[in-house]
Amino acid sequence: MSFVEYGDTIKDGDTAIVFLGHESMFPVKVQHGTVTQTKYGVIRHSTDLIGKKYGSKVTCSKGGWVFILHPTPELWTMNLPHRTQILYSTDISIITMMLELKPGSIVCESGTGSGSLSHALIRTVAPTGHLYTVEFHQQRAEKAREEFREHGVEHLVTVTNQDVCKNGFGVTDIADAVFLDIPSPWEAIGHAKSALKAEGGRICSFSPCIEQVQRTCLAMEECGFTEINTLEILLRVYNVRTISLQIPDLGKAAEDNSSTGFDSSNPSNPGSLGANLEQGAVQFKSGVPLREMVGHTGYLTFATKS
């Protein structure tokens, strides 16, 4: 199993996603002799998972069923163990596009955190690219190495435990892109410039506060970066539901239309308006935004090395 090389069959040692519904799923490490408890009953790895195809419908001990999905960076973002605040797919998608990443790209990242963005970057630059990710916290760095190894992508990523603001990324003049998600990104802009290739490399800094953005933009200008711009991505979800609205009283004009001799049973005829008026309301499908919307996550500042 690999997050970038998809297989058909569930094997011992794989990480799989147990899908109970769109709002309920979780990751599980497949092991011989192990069982997993769900609200629908027990899943026995040896008999229910190993050897089955990904996407299979598995019946649990209580008669309920779940789907077993192959892990992807998107599914991992929704289910990973949180060691830090993470980036979600809304921001990740614009980051990979604006940094102009593709298979073969070399990317530097700090900090690694819970590895949400890291998995997406690795999938984007595979099979010939590489991710150099720096994490200040030793335990988080060690856990990230372990996860990358378990997920079959360790050959595409190098994890370094150090302070990027003091020691940089450990590489020079090779990166196509740099991503910063640290408390004081302005202190790492010089190191980012050194890591980027001679010309045309892209940089992105993620910061939750506008004051951080201001200091980072000033540092970028001082280091000669161009095309500096800041974005904020807000996700607005629409629900499709049935809406009921009262039909307005159109007065005498409506009465005249209803007496013109048209077949009121035919909706295409103007005379059908009289029948609708008698009902008093009409129902139709409409897209309605949620009453509560996910708010601000952070600002994304992009720039180009000139």
Side-chain angles (χ1 to χ4, degrees), residues 28-29 31-38 41-49:
V28 62
K29 185 173 182 179
Q31 293 178 310
H32 272 295
T34 303
V35 298
T36 297
Q37 296 282 349
T38 74
V42 171
I43 301 174
R44 295 174 175 81
H45 294 200
S46 299
T47 57
D48 297 333
L49 298 184

Side-chain angles (χ1 to χ4, degrees), residues 59-218:
T59 302
C60 305
S61 61
K62 293 182 180 179
W65 47 266
V66 299
F67 289 104
I68 308 299
L69 305 181
H70 195 292
T72 65
E74 291 80 11
L75 289 174
W76 185 244
T77 291
M78 298 171 63
N79 294 281
L80 58 79
H82 285 227
R83 300 183 287 274
T84 59
Q85 291 290 333
I86 69 169
L87 289 175
Y88 290 91
S89 296
T90 307
D91 287 321
I92 291 173
S93 60
I94 197 72
I95 290 169
T96 55
M97 183 187 74
M98 294 293 287
L99 289 182
E100 301 173 3
L101 301 182
K102 59 185 181 299
S105 295
I106 306 297
V107 187
C108 293
E109 174 197 27
S110 182
T112 312
S114 301
S116 173
L117 176 65
S118 304
H119 282 80
L121 294 177
I122 291 169
R123 197 260 307 272
T124 302
V125 304
T128 55
H130 201 83
L131 171 66
Y132 295 89
T133 182
V134 177
E135 173 56 52
F136 176 79
H137 193 274
Q138 182 179 356
Q139 285 74 26
R140 288 201 292 263
E142 293 173 353
K143 185 61 178 177
R145 287 194 194 97
E146 179 184 341
E147 284 182 350
F148 293 143
R149 184 170 57 254
E150 290 179 351
H151 298 165
V153 296
E154 72 276 9
H155 62 292
L156 297 170
V157 58
T158 299
V159 182
T160 305
N161 173 219
Q162 64 186 29
D163 185 351
V164 71
C165 296
K166 295 180 179 179
N167 307 114
F169 293 93
V171 296
T172 305
D173 297 332
I174 66 170
D176 297 289
V178 170
F179 177 80
L180 298 174
D181 183 6
I182 54 178
S184 53
W186 55 89
E187 296 181 1
I189 297 300
H191 293 296
K193 183 178 180 181
S194 299
L196 286 168
K197 60 187 181 181
E199 185 178 359
R202 294 279 287 167
I203 183 173
C204 175
S205 174
F206 176 90
S207 297
C209 301
I210 196 64
E211 293 80 8
Q212 293 171 302
V213 174
Q214 292 170 330
R215 294 190 64 174
T216 302
C217 289
L218 290 174

